[in-house]
Amino acid sequence: MAAVSLSVSTVKPLGDRVFVKISESEEKTAGGIFLPDSAKEKPQVGEIVQVGPGKRNDDGSRQGMEVSVGDKVLYSKYAGTDIKLGSDEYVLLSEKDILAIVS
């Protein structure tokens, strides 16, 4: 089997999918307690780095995406597929799993 080398520029989501770079998780609590890796929660905020062309309608036309590259988004906790490229972590999500755009 041939090895495939992936980078952010080589990943192009299909349909209504988006490729999101996960934001770093908090190192300590609001009270100042440092958290070990096992106690950290999975982050739910990230920045969109690639978007698909949009979902197909019944007549074959494409429905435009509501989000675009560079948007910071809040997404469902257990949604998507986790992908690690180098030292960065990403998640491949469907647009319906995005809850809000964070400004």
Side-chain angles (χ1 to χ4, degrees):
M1 202 177 256
V4 176
S5 133
L6 292 178
S7 71
V8 176
S9 61
T10 60
V11 176
K12 179 68 177 164
L14 300 176
D16 68 337
R17 302 237 186 319
V18 295
F19 198 54
V20 178
K21 182 177 181 186
I22 300 174
S23 297
E24 297 293 321
S25 58
E26 294 294 322
E27 296 289 326
K28 63 179 180 175
T29 64
I33 299 171
F34 285 95
L35 297 172
D37 288 337
S38 60
K40 292 179 187 173
E41 284 194 32
K42 180 180 173 187
Q44 292 176 262
V45 176
E47 182 179 342
I48 296 178
V49 292
Q50 293 280 356
V51 295
K55 185 170 103 174
R56 284 212 182 263
N57 295 324
D58 292 336
D59 63 356
S61 64
R62 292 239 184 232
Q63 179 179 337
M65 300 285 280
E66 291 187 47
V67 294
S68 58
V69 174
D71 286 347
K72 204 164 195 175
V73 294
L74 175 68
Y75 55 90
S76 298
K77 191 169 202 162
Y78 298 107
T81 302
D82 295 330
I83 299 169
K84 188 166 187 166
L85 299 178
S87 63
D88 295 328
E89 293 186 20
Y90 298 86
V91 64
L92 186 61
L93 298 168
S94 181
E95 186 182 30
K96 69 181 180 186
D97 293 325
I98 296 175
L99 306 173
I101 296 175
V102 182
S103 32

